[in-house]
Coordinates of all heavy atoms in Angstrom, one line a residue:
D46 N -5.8 10.4 7.1 CA -4.5 10.8 7.6 C -3.5 11.2 6.4 O -2.7 12.1 6.6 CB -3.9 9.6 8.4 CG -4.7 9.2 9.6 OD1 -5.3 10.1 10.2 OD2 -4.8 8.0 9.8
M47 N -3.6 10.5 5.3 CA -2.8 10.7 4.2 C -3.0 12.1 3.6 O -2.1 12.8 3.2 CB -2.9 9.7 3.1 CG -2.4 8.3 3.4 SD -0.7 8.3 3.9 CE 0.1 8.9 2.4
V48 N -4.3 12.5 3.6 CA -4.6 13.9 3.2 C -3.9 14.9 4.1 O -3.3 15.9 3.6 CB -6.1 14.1 3.1 CG1 -6.5 15.5 2.9 CG2 -6.8 13.2 2.1
V49 N -4.0 14.7 5.4 CA -3.4 15.6 6.3 C -1.9 15.7 6.1 O -1.2 16.7 6.1 CB -3.8 15.3 7.8 CG1 -3.0 16.1 8.8 CG2 -5.2 15.4 8.0
I50 N -1.3 14.5 5.9 CA 0.2 14.4 5.7 C 0.6 15.1 4.4 O 1.5 15.9 4.4 CB 0.6 12.9 5.6 CG1 0.5 12.2 7.0 CG2 2.0 12.7 5.1 CD1 0.6 10.7 7.0
L51 N -0.2 14.9 3.4 CA 0.1 15.6 2.1 C 0.0 17.1 2.2 O 0.8 17.8 1.7 CB -0.7 15.0 1.0 CG -0.3 13.6 0.5 CD1 -1.4 13.1 -0.5 CD2 1.0 13.6 -0.1
M52 N -1.0 17.6 2.9 CA -1.2 19.0 3.1 C 0.0 19.6 3.9 O 0.5 20.7 3.5 CB -2.5 19.3 3.9 CG -3.7 19.0 3.0 SD -5.3 19.2 3.9 CE -5.2 20.7 4.7
A53 N 0.5 18.9 4.9 CA 1.6 19.3 5.7 C 2.9 19.4 4.8 O 3.7 20.3 4.9 CB 1.8 18.4 6.9
I54 N 3.0 18.4 3.9 CA 4.2 18.3 3.0 C 4.1 19.5 2.0 O 5.1 20.2 1.8 CB 4.3 17.0 2.3 CG1 4.7 15.9 3.3 CG2 5.3 17.0 1.1 CD1 4.5 14.5 2.8
E55 N 2.9 19.7 1.5 CA 2.8 20.8 0.5 C 3.1 22.2 1.2 O 3.8 23.0 0.6 CB 1.3 20.9 0.0 CG 1.0 19.7 -0.9 CD -0.4 19.7 -1.4 OE1 -1.3 20.4 -0.8 OE2 -0.7 19.0 -2.4
E56 N 2.6 22.3 2.4 CA 2.9 23.6 3.2 C 4.4 23.7 3.5 O 4.9 24.8 3.3 CB 2.0 23.6 4.4 CG 2.2 24.9 5.2 CD 1.3 25.0 6.4 OE1 0.1 24.5 6.3 OE2 1.7 25.5 7.4
E57 N 5.0 22.7 3.9 CA 6.4 22.7 4.3 C 7.3 23.0 3.2 O 8.3 23.7 3.2 CB 6.8 21.4 5.0 CG 8.2 21.2 5.3 CD 8.7 21.9 6.6 OE1 7.8 22.3 7.4 OE2 9.9 22.0 6.8
F58 N 7.0 22.4 2.0 CA 7.9 22.5 0.9 C 7.4 23.4 -0.2 O 8.1 23.6 -1.3 CB 8.2 21.1 0.3 CG 9.0 20.2 1.2 CD1 8.3 19.3 2.1 CD2 10.3 20.3 1.3 CE1 9.0 18.5 3.0 CE2 11.1 19.5 2.2 CZ 10.4 18.6 3.0
G59 N 6.2 23.9 -0.1 CA 5.7 24.9 -1.1 C 5.5 24.2 -2.5 O 5.7 24.8 -3.5
V60 N 5.0 22.9 -2.4 CA 4.7 22.2 -3.7 C 3.3 21.7 -3.6 O 2.6 21.6 -2.6 CB 5.6 21.0 -3.9 CG1 7.1 21.4 -4.0 CG2 5.5 20.0 -2.7

Side-chain angles (χ1 to χ4, degrees):
D46 299 320
M47 290 303 297
V48 171
V49 173
I50 291 167
L51 287 171
M52 288 172 52
I54 291 169
E55 289 177 345
E56 185 175 321
E57 174 80 14
F58 293 95
V60 297

